[in-house]
Amino acid sequence: MIKVLKFLRMFAHLFSGVWLVFYQTRIKKRSAQNPEVQARIRQWFAKSCHILGITINQQGEPIDGPVLFIANHVSWLDIPLVASVASPRFLSKSEISSWPVIGWLARKVNTLFIVRGDRTAAEAASAAIVEGLEEKSQILIFPEGTTTDGKVVGRLHARLFGAPIKVSAPVQPIVIHYTDNNTDAQQSERVPYIGKQTLIANLWAVLGCKDLNANVYFLPPVETGDMPRKELANTLQTQMQITLQKSQAKLRLSH
């Protein structure tokens, strides 16, 4: 019964998000970059996490100014989680911009759309990142390229780091570590959205988590300079993996 009530609250909350964006952008005529709009959107995402039963434990702070945020990718939850504590622009395939409601929302919150055309996905993403950084935006990507079980940080695709190097923008790593009391493991086994699981099935599993915690670590930014892409990717992956291991070790000690 509790899971059903959470699901209904989340469904109603989605409509409140549509109204929030409509009111701020169409009635108030404010842009997505307006500080007040960004603050209200962060609050909306924070409430989303609360409804889902997530306790957010944040260490470190997102830096100001144009930056490329990179994070390990465990679940669709990563997006509302990061968006509840920062205000990055997200990357999305261009087809989504034409979807009813969702496409309108994505456009209004300043999403960067990837136009693939004859270019590969990595090239299209790099072009979009360069565009956003040149516009002084903060951008979030998941350079592992797919979701994982969250137990380790997967290989980061080096091609995506050509963009911040090209415009000399810093990269700030974010490490996400989900835990709950459903298992004795140091990583939640219900949160990862992997394999052939459907979104609804994963959402239902998340709603059943006991004492779900999202540990979010903002690491010190790395100045890219003229660092080779592979070297930058390897450096960032090492830093992120060390942080994740420390977080897992802390949980083991607490038990």
Side-chain angles (χ1 to χ4, degrees):
M1 186 62 181
I2 294 177
K3 291 170 69 173
V4 173
L5 291 175
K6 284 184 178 180
F7 181 84
L8 293 176
R9 283 187 67 196
M10 194 66 226
F11 189 74
H13 186 58
L14 287 173
F15 281 96
S16 75
V18 174
W19 168 249
L20 168 64
V21 174
F22 179 83
Y23 178 77
Q24 293 293 334
T25 62
R26 296 295 294 272
I27 297 178
K28 287 290 189 177
K29 304 296 183 182
R30 294 168 174 164
S31 74
Q33 298 300 99
N34 182 290
E36 183 175 344
V37 175
Q38 290 185 337
R40 291 183 181 276
I41 290 176
R42 284 197 303 273
Q43 291 170 0
W44 184 86
F45 277 115
K47 187 174 181 180
S48 301
C49 292
H50 176 73
I51 292 172
L52 292 170
I54 303 171
T55 298
I56 301 174
N57 306 308
Q58 178 185 342
Q59 291 193 28
E61 296 290 338
I63 66 171
D64 295 325
V67 61
L68 178 65
F69 294 122
I70 66 165
N72 58 314
H73 201 10
V74 182
S75 167
W76 56 272
L77 282 178
D78 302 340
I79 293 176
L81 175 63
V82 175
S84 71
V85 293
S87 299
R89 296 176 68 180
F90 298 97
L91 295 185
S92 177
K93 59 184 181 180
S94 59
E95 293 87 340
I96 289 179
S97 66
S98 62
W99 288 7
V101 183
I102 293 177
W104 178 81
L105 277 172
R107 292 194 302 273
K108 289 301 181 181
V109 298
N110 216 17
T111 299
L112 282 167
F113 292 105
I114 302 171
V115 182
R116 301 195 180 192
D118 295 328
R119 296 181 292 188
T120 66
E123 290 174 337
S126 294
I129 294 168
V130 168
E131 173 191 338
L133 292 174
E134 288 180 336
E135 294 174 355
K136 309 301 182 184
S137 297
Q138 297 191 329
I139 302 167
L140 172 68
I141 65 170
F142 301 102
E144 289 168 304
T146 186
T147 52
T148 73
D149 62 9
K151 295 178 181 178
V152 297
V153 177
R155 183 177 68 88
L156 307 185
H157 290 282
R159 294 186 68 180
L160 295 174
F161 295 105
I165 292 172
K166 182 177 181 179
V167 297
S168 299
V171 178
Q172 185 169 23
I174 303 171
V175 175
I176 300 171
H177 178 207
Y178 296 100
T179 64
D180 61 45
N181 283 342
N182 293 93
T183 66
D184 292 330
Q186 280 70 55
Q187 169 69 39
S188 172
E189 295 181 0
R190 296 193 178 204
V191 169
Y193 182 36
I194 53 179
K196 296 182 179 180
Q197 187 182 38
T198 65
L199 178 60
I200 293 297
N202 184 262
L203 172 60
W204 198 246
V206 168
L207 291 175
C209 284
K210 299 175 183 176
D211 193 22
L212 177 56
N213 283 265
N215 304 286
V216 187
Y217 302 88
F218 283 88
L219 305 187
V222 175
E223 296 296 334
T224 55
D226 56 357
M227 188 185 300
R229 294 181 306 185
K230 288 186 178 180
E231 180 183 341
L232 178 58
N234 291 337
T235 297
L236 292 166
Q237 182 180 356
T238 298
Q239 292 179 353
M240 294 169 72
Q241 181 60 35
I242 290 172
T243 300
L244 180 59
Q245 289 174 337
K246 287 181 178 179
S247 186
Q248 292 166 340
K250 185 189 302 181
L251 181 63
R252 283 193 294 269
L253 290 173
S254 67
H255 283 71

